[in-house]
């Protein structure tokens, strides 16, 4: 019988955290532990910070970004989902869907005349602009500081398809790393955006998701000073979201897969 958590390999090591690649059927987190029938390939991001509940906070931050993308996708602002699904969390880290590919591709090529030719990453401009309008900068920390011509924190499944004669990469990529040094949310601007678009967001997202986004934002702003009743409501909404997400992933590619279980 497969273990609930099987370590596969070290997936990365940065200034804020280390990443383990795992096959996992047990997902701790806000709202309780959830078990799946099928083992899922995931990243477990373990934070170096000793800040209280850092793993749960980063899970909520990632969740806000993912649900906002779901809204953008429903509105047709770009054509392929570029944010992995957050799946669970603990006090020291959080779990999200593993993105397959490489995070190193050139932002520029040198042509035959020695001139730099920028690479067009399909969906990138629309992706960055959509989140920027909501107060989230996802363009930050996407270039290697030691080599300004090479990418980082963008996982591309086929990163070597472009050349200086055809400087374009397809849209099969994911933006990763939502740590505080990589992604900053302007919460006042974000709340203003979701307030302006409340009716439209409620119409385009599942029931409860809009409220979950607002409450998650409040928790990230105020922490344990948040109203206990709102904190309880957030827990229920996050549990429902995690059950839905893991149910979807659990049945992918498996005919007649069993339901996930909340323990």
């Amino acid at each position: 019988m497969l273990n609930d958590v099987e370590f596969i390999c070290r997936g990365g090591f940065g200034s804020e955290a280390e990443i383990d690649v795992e096959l996992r059927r047990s997902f701790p987190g806000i709202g309780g532990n959830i078990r799946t029938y099928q083992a899922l390939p995931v990243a477990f991001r373990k934070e170096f910070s000793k800040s209280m509940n850092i793993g749960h906070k980063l899970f909520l931050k990632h969740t806000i970004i993912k649900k906002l993308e779901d809204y953008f996708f429903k509105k047709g602002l770009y054509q392929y989902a570029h944010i992995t699904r957050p799946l669970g969390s603990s006090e020291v880290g959080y779990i999200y869907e593993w993105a397959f590919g490489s995070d190193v591709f050139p932002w520029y090529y040198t042509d035959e005349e020695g001139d730099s030719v920028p690479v067009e990453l399909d969906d990138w401009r629309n992706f960055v602009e959509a989140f920027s309008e909501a107060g989230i900068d996802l363009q930050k920390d996407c270039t290697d500081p030691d080599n300004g011509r090479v990418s980082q924190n963008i996982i591309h499944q086929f990163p070597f398809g472009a050349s200086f004669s055809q400087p374009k990469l397809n849209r099969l990529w994911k933006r990763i790393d939502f740590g505080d040094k990589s992604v900053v949310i302007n919460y006042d601007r974000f709340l203003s955006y979701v307030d302006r678009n409340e009716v439209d967001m409620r119409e385009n997202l599942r029931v409860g998701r809009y409220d979950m986004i607002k409450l998650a934002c409040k928790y990230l702003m105020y922490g344990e000073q948040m109203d206990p009743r709102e904190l309880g409501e957030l827990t229920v909404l996050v549990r429902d979201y995690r059950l839905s997400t893991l149910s979807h992933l659990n049945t992918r590619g498996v005919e007649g897969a069993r339901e996930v279980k909340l323990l």
Side-chain angles (χ1 to χ4, degrees):
M1 184 175 180
L2 186 66
N3 294 331
D4 281 349
V5 181
E6 180 183 351
F7 175 79
I8 301 299
C9 65
R10 176 62 53 80
F13 188 95
S15 62
E16 291 185 283
E18 63 181 16
I19 311 294
D20 286 345
V21 184
E22 301 174 337
L23 275 176
R24 179 179 280 269
R25 297 195 305 167
S26 178
F27 296 85
I30 299 168
N33 192 69
I34 300 172
R35 294 189 74 251
T36 59
Y37 169 70
Q38 181 180 190
L40 305 175
V42 302
F44 179 34
R45 176 182 167 117
K46 295 181 287 186
E47 299 298 314
F48 299 143
S49 170
K50 303 301 181 183
S51 176
M52 186 181 202
N53 291 325
I54 183 65
H56 298 313
K57 290 176 180 177
L58 282 175
F59 169 85
L60 290 174
K61 183 181 181 182
H62 192 153
T63 296
I64 284 173
I65 293 169
K66 180 57 183 172
K67 294 315 298 178
L68 193 58
E69 174 175 74
D70 288 351
Y71 172 64
F72 294 155
F73 194 75
K74 282 285 192 72
K75 298 295 289 182
L77 299 187
Y78 48 87
Q79 303 301 313
Y80 184 78
H82 298 299
I83 304 295
T84 56
R85 295 174 175 89
L87 304 173
S89 56
S90 69
E91 291 185 359
V92 299
Y94 83 104
I95 305 159
Y96 58 92
E97 182 183 21
W98 179 253
F100 292 92
S102 172
D103 69 343
V104 177
F105 63 83
W107 282 118
Y108 297 92
Y109 280 97
T110 302
D111 66 16
E112 295 173 335
E113 297 179 355
D115 295 326
S116 289
V117 179
V119 171
E120 178 186 349
L121 182 61
D122 201 3
D123 271 353
W124 177 246
R125 183 183 297 274
N126 290 342
F127 172 83
V128 168
E129 290 177 352
F131 278 98
S132 178
E133 186 178 350
I136 303 174
D137 182 3
L138 290 183
Q139 190 171 14
K140 180 183 178 183
D141 203 27
C142 288
T143 300
D144 187 331
D146 298 322
N147 183 350
R149 300 172 65 90
V150 175
S151 72
Q152 67 177 16
N153 292 328
I154 302 174
I155 304 297
H156 203 293
Q157 290 188 353
F158 303 98
F160 307 110
S163 66
F164 71 83
S165 61
Q166 190 176 5
K168 184 173 182 177
L169 284 170
N170 65 58
R171 63 178 68 116
L172 298 182
W173 54 269
K174 300 286 187 182
R175 170 65 159 92
I176 63 167
D177 192 347
F178 303 104
D180 291 337
K181 291 183 179 179
S182 186
V183 174
V184 175
I185 299 178
N186 182 324
Y187 289 110
D188 290 333
R189 188 172 173 185
F190 175 79
L191 286 173
S192 176
Y193 178 89
V194 296
D195 284 342
R196 291 197 312 272
N197 293 279
E198 178 177 357
V199 173
D200 198 38
M201 291 183 74
R202 288 187 183 277
E203 289 178 353
N204 282 281
L205 295 175
R206 289 185 60 172
V207 173
R209 300 298 188 253
Y210 177 85
D211 297 312
M212 181 185 72
I213 290 171
K214 289 285 295 283
L215 290 171
C217 184
K218 289 186 70 173
Y219 181 77
L220 291 173
M221 294 174 73
Y222 305 118
E224 302 305 321
Q225 297 179 7
M226 186 175 174
D227 186 315
R229 292 171 297 181
E230 290 185 326
L231 189 57
E233 182 181 358
L234 174 62
T235 300
V236 171
L237 292 171
V238 170
R239 178 180 61 191
D240 179 72
Y241 166 66
R242 293 178 57 232
L243 280 167
S244 176
T245 299
L246 285 165
S247 292
H248 170 73
L249 293 177
N250 183 56
T251 57
R252 180 185 290 174
V254 179
E255 184 177 357
R258 304 171 193 169
E259 292 295 324
V260 298
K261 294 181 179 179
L262 179 64
L263 302 180

